[in-house]
Amino acid sequence: MGIWFDETFKSSRFGLKVTRTLFSAQSPFQKVDIFETEELGRVMTLDDAFMTSEGDEFFYHELLTHPAMLTAKAPERVLVIGGGDGGTVREVLRHASVKKCVMIEIDELVVRACMEHLPTIGTAWKDPRLEVRFADGVDYVKHSDEEKYDVVLLDGTDPIGPGEVLFDLEFFRACKRMLKPHGVMALQSETPLLMSEAFFETQVKLRSLFSKVAPYLGPVPLYPSGLWSWTWCSDTQDPFAIDEARAKGIVDSLRWYNLDVHRGAFAQPNYVRRGIADRVGTR
Amino acid sequence: MGIWFDETFKSSRFGLKVTRTLFSAQSPFQKVDIFETEELGRVMTLDDAFMTSEGDEFFYHELLTHPAMLTAKAPERVLVIGGGDGGTVREVLRHASVKKCVMIEIDELVVRACMEHLPTIGTAWKDPRLEVRFADGVDYVKHSDEEKYDVVLLDGTDPIGPGEVLFDLEFFRACKRMLKPHGVMALQSETPLLMSEAFFETQVKLRSLFSKVAPYLGPVPLYPSGLWSWTWCSDTQDPFAIDEARAKGIVDSLRWYNLDVHRGAFAQPNYVRRGIADRVGTR
């Protein structure tokens, strides 16, 4: 039989056969584990919930990052909140227009563990354009008077327990405060299936702040239901107006994302369209 | 803790909490179980592998059926091989152009069990245009001299053990034999992730038979990895040339599929595009 690690979510569970534990420790914020699996390579869990794996991380990181980056005007300054495994900043730093990427991660232990045990995910830690700060992202966006950003990416955990604040209207409002007028924000916004309330409530909150809000979907085998969502927000940009010239230099190095995938991900299934219309009215 | 049913696939597993067993029997072909779950309602397993659930069946059935039906010329005769739960013929029979739908299912016990215990899935059993035959679909397509079909849908099990023959080149060739010259065939073609070899081999086989072959992707939370594929095949039709007038009467009654979803599903991610190009060359 071997050793299995299962994540139970409501009344479903997903498990992977574990061949070896590489890291296990308690930080001031959460329990951090990294182990080796047959199916998806090395996997990190936080408080016993799957966060990322070598085998499927590209879905999540490519889809969180490139839709925002390629619809913003040649972004120079990018802010990432969370993202301790380094996958999101790796994708951001593929873009030659970026001069500065600030990553605010609350949990230093996550970054240290990932640097050591998930080096295939965090391949850009040494990029001189990257600045990693160990601080509370909520506090940062509420109080910082630093220069604004062209793109803000929210790469946080689920809105359960300590992560709940990352889905607050006040947090979203503060994130927008850090965005330049033509900026684009994107965030992971949970699964529209098993966590449909969190998904739809997030859509409603963001619509009260941005004039254009577009959820988009893609696969993440590691997460509950396997179908994940991200949400794109801006006051001035268009989620379908991709900068194709800039995209050219990026897409070839990616495993999933390309311009067809970008457009396809923004297709709103009936269930999503109706769920949003029921809550905010058609717009 | 309660009772859980887990399907193990290679070294991953997916489980659901079971509240009640409704049906359990061995047919001449396979073990058939239907139980009630908290998360996805009633669920059917065949030989202990998840086949369908009330909660997520619409993804699979809508995506198998409508891309082919809406790109064929107003289809009148439709053949379904497999599909014992009744979900695929239900979707077929939404189309007013259909005069005759023949479903060939090898296992009568599956249909009887689904008629009794999954009535929300098989809602079209009594449609007078439907003819259900309990027979071997492989035998039928190889030897039938009946009138040809406008659309052929292959709704079989995985290419493991008894289902292996459903992914043979000779079977696909025989299915094409049952298609009119302008016909469209679509089939479930496994996950391009955990079963990537089955997926890519199927693409290669179909390309040797049809001049246009287009895989498309969508979510099926119940199946391994949560990301599923279907493949659209025709000699004359175009997967993007949707009959929008006919679609209008269909889409409103669906939970997932619409024309944006159709187009988005055919977006080929880099991984899929490269995997096909590596095997068949670019075309």
Side-chain angles (χ1 to χ4, degrees), chain B residues 64-206:
Chain B
L64 172 61
T65 306
H66 301 298
M69 293 295 288
L70 289 172
T71 52
K73 289 186 184 168
E76 297 187 354
R77 286 177 55 80
V78 179
L79 174 65
V80 176
I81 305 288
D85 57 39
T88 298
V89 298
R90 175 196 73 210
E91 295 304 320
V92 167
L93 293 163
R94 287 189 201 279
H95 293 260
S97 64
V98 174
K99 292 182 176 159
K100 179 84 179 174
C101 177
V102 176
M103 169 177 149
I104 314 271
E105 165 62 53
I106 202 167
D107 196 341
E108 183 168 356
L109 186 72
V110 169
V111 174
R112 300 286 164 219
C114 291
M115 280 178 169
E116 187 175 345
H117 298 290
L118 297 175
T120 66
I121 297 180
T123 55
W125 293 122
K126 291 187 176 155
D127 191 304
R129 298 170 294 165
L130 175 64
E131 184 188 340
V132 178
R133 300 186 202 163
F134 299 112
D136 181 347
V138 177
D139 195 57
Y140 177 78
V141 294
K142 286 192 174 160
H143 304 296
S144 167
D145 55 5
E146 290 182 336
E147 195 185 336
K148 309 294 187 194
Y149 295 89
D150 299 292
V151 168
V152 172
L153 300 174
L154 308 185
D155 186 7
T157 51
D158 301 324
I160 298 165
E164 215 176 319
V165 66
L166 299 177
F167 287 82
D168 274 357
L169 180 62
E170 289 318 308
F171 174 63
F172 292 146
R173 195 191 305 279
C175 289
K176 187 178 178 185
R177 201 181 69 82
M178 295 308 296
L179 211 54
K180 290 183 191 170
H182 295 283
V184 177
M185 180 165 107
L187 57 141
Q188 75 89 354
S189 46
E190 304 294 307
T191 165
L193 302 176
L194 303 180
M195 285 180 265
S196 63
E197 274 317 302
F199 169 78
F200 285 119
E201 280 169 19
T202 300
Q203 301 308 311
V204 173
K205 288 175 191 168
L206 292 168

Side-chain angles (χ1 to χ4, degrees), chain A residues 156-233:
Chain A
T157 51
D158 301 325
I160 298 165
E164 216 177 319
V165 66
L166 299 177
F167 288 81
D168 273 356
L169 180 62
E170 290 317 308
F171 173 63
F172 293 146
R173 193 190 307 276
C175 290
K176 187 179 177 185
R177 202 180 69 81
M178 295 309 296
L179 210 54
K180 289 183 191 170
H182 295 283
V184 177
M185 180 166 106
L187 56 141
Q188 75 88 356
S189 46
E190 305 292 310
T191 164
L193 302 176
L194 304 181
M195 285 180 265
S196 63
E197 275 315 305
F199 169 77
F200 285 120
E201 280 169 19
T202 300
Q203 301 307 312
V204 173
K205 288 175 193 170
L206 293 168
R207 273 169 174 71
S208 73
L209 297 171
F210 289 91
S211 57
K212 285 190 237 172
V213 175
Y216 57 103
L217 304 176
V220 181
L222 194 62
Y223 290 174
S225 89
L227 177 71
W228 212 249
S229 83
W230 300 262
T231 304
W232 180 104
C233 314

Side-chain angles (χ1 to χ4, degrees), chain A residues 1 4-6 8-17 37-40 58-59 62 192-194 217 219-222 225-227 251-258 260-261 263-274, chain B residues 1 4-6 8-17 37-40 58-59 62 192-194 217 219-222 225-227 251-258 260-261 263-274:
Chain A
M1 287 296 287
W4 288 78
F5 177 89
D6 292 279
T8 300
F9 185 79
K10 295 185 179 176
S11 57
S12 70
R13 67 185 178 191
F14 176 68
L16 291 170
K17 198 179 242 186
T37 70
E38 285 178 16
E39 197 64 57
L40 292 173
F58 62 92
F59 293 107
E62 292 184 7
L193 302 176
L194 304 181
L217 304 176
V220 181
L222 194 62
S225 89
L227 177 71
V251 165
D252 282 352
S253 55
L254 305 181
R255 283 179 273 182
W256 198 256
Y257 177 93
N258 57 42
D260 291 343
V261 166
R263 295 184 193 103
F266 282 94
Q268 284 192 25
N270 289 347
Y271 165 85
V272 171
R273 196 175 282 175
R274 289 175 196 143
Chain B
M1 286 294 288
W4 288 77
F5 176 90
D6 292 278
T8 300
F9 184 79
K10 296 186 179 176
S11 57
S12 70
R13 66 186 179 192
F14 176 69
L16 291 171
K17 198 180 240 185
T37 70
E38 284 177 17
E39 196 66 57
L40 292 173
F58 61 93
F59 293 106
E62 292 184 7
L193 302 176
L194 303 180
L217 304 176
V220 181
L222 194 63
S225 90
L227 176 71
V251 166
D252 282 352
S253 55
L254 305 181
R255 282 178 275 182
W256 198 255
Y257 177 93
N258 57 42
D260 291 341
V261 167
R263 295 183 192 104
F266 281 95
Q268 285 192 25
N270 288 348
Y271 165 86
V272 171
R273 195 176 283 176
R274 289 175 196 143

